[in-house]
């Protein structure tokens, strides 16, 4: 059976979210190969060779295009839907039951799927399985990934680099290459990452990079960050106090994802993939 991975073509007027591609790169680590890519928002139109596809990440800009083509064997692992889109997907309970269990990225999605009477489990996000970096950067550099404005004004951070995860919707290969380069940049140069992006925070935590997560709108997706010890502005009565008052070396003590936990996620995914392609 052919093996596909998710790609992303964004609607007109929507910037490309590199976090989507970071999730695809995370899944690719655990696949024996990738034969081709399928656009997340038009899976219902696919009419090529039968293939297996890991359904990970946020779904989607076009929930009305659900369910995917019958030529796709889905593996739900790291699947996320928002409460607002849930009603579109609920119309297709038979599809979810057929391809259960549904591995959910977060507790919020798990509760939605289970409320439908569909077998589901908490698989977490595959971005938590990126390898731990083997050496620390030689110089201190704070990387601000779509960080809120106060983070840019912290004077004690002498060397800072600002990055955005939303970019112009260029071709898929360019987006994928950019995502790969960003991960390498974080791994090799960041002494601290401050971000409002869940898919900057989780891969950086997995790589062992001290991470301060500052979500713009805390919701069910973000609770996973707290589980792994990343300091967030949610943990403080006055969130800005964290930026201007804490001592990094004290607060970033065990801000890492354990190898045991990474292995649990990767083993779960690999076993489902191997079963599907036998």
């Amino acid at each position: 059976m052919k093996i596909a991975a998710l790609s992303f073509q964004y609607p007109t007027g929507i910037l490309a979210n590199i976090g989507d591609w970071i999730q695809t790169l995370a899944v690719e680590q655990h696949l024996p190969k990738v034969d081709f890519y399928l656009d997340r928002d038009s899976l219902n139109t696919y009419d090529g060779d039968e293939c297996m596809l890991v359904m990970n990440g946020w779904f989607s800009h076009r929930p009305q295009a659900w369910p995917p083509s019958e030529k796709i064997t889905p593996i739900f692992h790291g699947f996320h839907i928002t409460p607002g889109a849930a009603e579109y997907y609920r119309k297709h309970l038979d599809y979810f039951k057929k391809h259960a269990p549904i591995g959910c990225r977060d507790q919020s999605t798990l509760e939605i799927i289970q409320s439908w009477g569909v077998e589901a489990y908490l698989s977490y996000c595959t971005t938590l399985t990126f390898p731990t970096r083997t050496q620390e950067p030689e110089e201190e550099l704070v990387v601000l990934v779509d960080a809120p404005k106060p983070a840019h004004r912290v004077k004690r951070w002498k060397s800072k680099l600002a990055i955005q995860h939303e970019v112009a919707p260029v071709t898929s290969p360019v987006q994928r290459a950019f995502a790969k380069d960003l991960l390498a940049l974080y791994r090799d140069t960041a002494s601290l990452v401050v971000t409002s992006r869940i898919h900057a925070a989780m891969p950086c935590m997995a790589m062992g990079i001290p991470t301060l997560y500052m979500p713009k709108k805390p919701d069910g997706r973000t609770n996973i960050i707290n589980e792994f010890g990343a300091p967030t502005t949610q943990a403080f009565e006055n969130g800005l106090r964290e930026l201007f008052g804490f001592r990094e070396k004290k607060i970033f003590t065990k801000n890492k994802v354990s190898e045991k936990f990474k292995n649990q996620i990767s083993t779960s995914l690999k076993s489902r993939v191997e079963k599907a392609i036998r």
Side-chain angles (χ1 to χ4, degrees):
M1 179 182 289
K2 300 287 188 181
I3 298 178
L6 287 173
S7 64
F8 310 94
Q9 295 295 326
Y10 298 88
T12 301
I14 300 294
L15 293 174
N17 184 353
I18 292 302
D20 289 334
W21 277 103
I22 288 175
Q23 291 173 90
T24 288
L25 289 170
V27 167
E28 287 184 30
Q29 299 176 109
H30 308 296
L31 299 177
K33 61 177 181 175
V34 176
D35 294 302
F36 49 81
Y37 294 88
L38 295 177
D39 175 47
R40 174 191 58 191
D41 296 325
S42 57
L43 297 176
N44 60 323
T45 65
Y46 176 67
D47 193 29
D49 294 334
E50 290 189 1
C51 66
M52 185 279 298
L53 175 67
V54 177
M55 297 285 190
N56 67 301
W58 179 82
F59 280 77
S60 72
H61 287 295
R62 295 186 65 241
Q64 65 273 22
W66 198 261
S69 162
E70 292 183 0
K71 292 193 174 184
I72 297 173
T73 297
I75 302 296
F76 286 93
H77 191 280
F79 184 69
H80 170 78
I81 55 175
T82 63
E87 287 305 310
Y88 283 102
Y89 295 101
R90 189 177 183 180
K91 297 174 185 177
H92 303 283
L93 286 181
D94 289 344
Y95 182 82
F96 285 102
K97 289 179 178 179
K98 178 181 178 181
H99 298 291
I102 308 301
C104 301
R105 193 176 77 185
D106 48 78
Q107 185 67 31
S108 175
T109 299
L110 177 65
E111 292 173 0
I112 291 171
I113 300 295
Q114 288 181 331
S115 74
W116 300 343
V118 176
E119 182 184 358
Y121 65 99
L122 190 60
S123 66
Y124 293 101
C125 184
T126 316
T127 60
L128 291 166
T129 67
F130 282 112
T132 304
R133 66 184 180 185
T134 57
Q135 63 182 47
E136 301 295 318
E138 295 182 359
E139 299 181 1
E140 290 192 4
L141 174 66
V142 177
V143 181
L144 305 169
V145 187
D146 290 298
K149 290 181 179 180
H152 294 260
R153 299 198 298 267
V154 179
K155 293 181 179 179
R156 69 175 176 277
W157 296 339
K158 302 300 182 183
S159 182
K160 298 189 286 283
L161 174 65
I163 290 175
Q164 293 182 317
H165 265 209
E166 287 189 336
V167 299
V170 291
T171 63
S172 290
V174 173
Q175 291 179 38
R176 182 183 179 280
F178 181 50
K180 195 171 183 178
D181 288 344
L182 273 183
L183 289 172
L185 174 71
Y186 301 153
R187 180 195 66 216
D188 297 338
T189 69
S191 58
L192 168 66
V193 170
V194 181
T195 182
S196 65
R197 295 286 180 181
I198 190 170
H199 290 112
M202 288 200 290
C204 287
M205 290 167 60
M207 291 187 285
I209 304 168
T211 303
L212 172 59
Y213 181 54
M214 301 185 70
K216 296 176 181 178
K217 295 181 180 180
D219 56 30
R221 298 180 315 136
T222 66
N223 293 335
I224 186 174
I225 303 294
N226 295 327
E227 293 181 32
F228 294 98
T232 75
T233 52
Q234 299 173 70
F236 291 76
E237 183 175 344
N238 179 1
L240 295 182
R241 183 179 65 190
E242 182 174 3
L243 276 178
F244 293 100
F246 75 81
R247 299 288 181 180
E248 285 91 338
K249 290 184 179 180
K250 283 188 176 182
I251 203 164
F252 296 119
T253 53
K254 292 290 184 181
N255 182 4
K256 295 181 181 180
V257 183
S258 72
E259 294 304 313
K260 180 180 179 180
F261 188 78
K262 290 182 185 182
N263 289 335
Q264 289 174 349
I265 297 174
S266 61
T267 299
S268 171
L269 176 56
K270 286 178 179 178
S271 64
R272 294 194 65 184
V273 169
E274 290 170 0
K275 184 178 179 180
I277 62 178
R278 281 178 190 155

